[in-house]
Amino acid sequence: MPEGKILKALSGFYYVADKENNEIYQCRGRGIFRKNKITPLVGDYVVYQQENGHEGYILEIRERKNELVRPPIANVDQAVLVFSAKEPDFNTALLDRFLVSIESRHVHPLILITKCDLLGEDEKKQLAETFDVYRKLGYPVILSSSKEQWGLDRLGPYLQDKISVVCGQSGVGKTSMLNRLDPELRLKTNQISTHLGRGKHTTRHVELIPAAGGLVADTPGFSSLDFNEIDAYGLGDCFPEIAERAGACKFRGCLHLNEPHCAVKQAAGQKEIASFRYDHYIQFLQEIQNRKPRY
């Protein structure tokens, strides 16, 4: 049976790129998937049966190395987290929410900052210190300006031979960035709404698009993330600087909140952990602890 990869899901159809010839086949999923509550996802490697030319049925979904809920996509190599320097203003709390969500799915993040041409000199210095924090944690940070056409050339090599998901807050220029990276895409964009202070949603479905030698998913923008799939004891693993020090805490299962002899609290007190990052950890931890139980 032929094999391939799902590049697009739309209205109950799955568009599969054949592994051998890369031709696209429009497929439906077998009824057994619905019965077993399995949904084929963009990025899935599948076995399919060809019927009626370029139509067919998906017979089997290969094991996934990971999957994201929002956007619904599987086998992601990396996430490009796109945030603007201004309009809307850069927000470390929102970036950390995305990072925690991505880390929990074992996907490697890359941070791309757009609209850097709008920054004044004092703002550049202030944000440079913040970005240094993330670079020291091992996160690549790329500064760019689509308007002035600089910085995006550094992104291309990161995308090559990978499945990348592009996500971030609405109105930060994700679609413009992809169009700049590959002008043949001609993706639809909307100008930011000055009244609402945010962008309009222009992306309607998840699709893997060839770009810079890899496949990129342009996904809907959204401004909030919950942590329904993360428990209180797993949150620290999503902060590299906390996970690195957690083994030195006196008590196993330390939440780094009020426990004595906590290596993480000590590091935060000595500014070895950035105060805003530790504050966000505490904020997210309380959010997880206060959520209503699911039955």
Side-chain angles (χ1 to χ4, degrees):
M1 287 292 181
E3 300 182 15
K5 180 190 299 179
I6 298 177
L7 297 187
K8 180 170 69 171
L10 185 64
S11 302
F13 289 99
Y14 303 96
Y15 296 84
V16 178
D18 186 86
K19 182 179 179 180
E20 298 297 329
N21 58 28
N22 213 36
E23 290 192 27
I24 304 298
Y25 294 84
Q26 178 180 280
C27 298
R28 287 194 178 274
R30 292 178 61 196
I32 191 68
F33 293 140
R34 289 192 298 275
K35 182 179 179 181
N36 294 334
K37 297 182 178 179
I38 297 173
T39 302
L41 297 177
V42 169
D44 271 333
Y45 296 97
V46 299
V47 178
Y48 71 98
Q49 179 178 338
Q50 181 183 348
E51 295 181 358
N52 301 326
H54 280 70
E55 297 182 357
Y57 283 89
I58 294 175
L59 304 179
E60 181 183 347
I61 299 173
R62 299 297 194 193
E63 184 178 356
R64 297 165 178 161
K65 71 176 183 180
N66 57 41
E67 69 179 84
L68 304 181
V69 176
R70 234 180 1 177
I73 185 171
N75 301 311
V76 178
D77 295 307
Q78 67 181 356
V80 182
L81 305 182
V82 187
F83 282 74
S84 62
K86 295 195 74 171
E87 295 183 9
D89 290 343
F90 178 67
N91 185 321
T92 56
L94 186 56
L95 173 57
D96 285 345
R97 280 182 173 274
F98 273 90
L99 286 171
V100 166
S101 180
I102 293 300
E103 288 277 11
S104 72
R105 298 292 181 177
H106 307 291
V107 176
H108 185 69
L110 181 152
I111 301 168
L112 176 68
I113 308 298
T114 64
K115 304 184 184 180
C116 290
D117 54 284
L118 300 179
L119 292 173
E121 289 304 316
D122 290 341
E123 292 170 315
K124 287 180 182 178
K125 292 178 182 178
Q126 183 177 353
L127 283 180
E129 295 178 2
T130 301
F131 298 144
D132 280 345
V133 170
Y134 290 104
R135 288 191 176 102
K136 288 176 181 177
L137 294 175
Y139 297 127
V141 179
I142 297 175
L143 307 182
S144 71
S145 167
S146 293
K147 182 179 179 180
E148 297 184 355
Q149 301 186 34
W150 55 264
L152 289 180
D153 56 322
R154 293 181 53 207
L155 177 61
Y158 285 99
L159 302 181
Q160 190 168 358
D161 299 323
K162 291 185 175 68
I163 293 181
S164 304
V165 59
V166 178
C167 49
Q169 192 176 15
S170 296
V172 299
K174 297 188 300 297
T175 306
S176 297
M177 177 271 294
L178 287 173
N179 283 335
R180 182 69 66 182
L181 197 64
D182 189 345
E184 292 186 7
L185 294 177
R186 298 186 182 89
L187 300 174
K188 182 180 178 182
T189 60
N190 275 335
Q191 288 186 328
I192 190 169
S193 167
T194 54
H195 176 66
L196 295 175
R198 55 184 172 82
K200 299 176 181 178
H201 295 274
T202 57
T203 314
R204 300 303 178 197
H205 64 275
V206 180
E207 179 177 359
L208 287 174
I209 305 166
L215 292 171
V216 176
D218 184 23
T219 63
F222 42 88
S223 57
S224 64
L225 290 166
D226 54 43
F227 303 123
N228 287 334
E229 305 302 319
I230 306 173
D231 64 26
Y233 294 99
L235 178 63
D237 293 335
C238 302
F239 284 78
E241 66 272 58
I242 291 177
E244 179 185 349
R245 295 171 171 85
C249 293
K250 182 176 181 180
F251 298 103
R252 292 185 63 183
C254 181
L255 290 176
H256 324 301
L257 190 59
N258 298 313
E259 300 89 341
H261 306 292
C262 170
V264 172
K265 285 198 304 180
Q266 181 180 357
Q270 295 174 348
K271 306 300 182 183
E272 295 174 8
I273 295 177
S275 58
F276 73 88
R277 287 276 293 173
Y278 182 69
D279 289 345
H280 294 159
Y281 168 78
I282 298 299
Q283 176 187 336
F284 301 161
L285 179 63
Q286 292 172 343
E287 197 174 307
I288 291 171
Q289 292 175 324
N290 292 334
R291 72 186 174 201
K292 294 181 179 179
R294 292 181 297 169
Y295 300 101

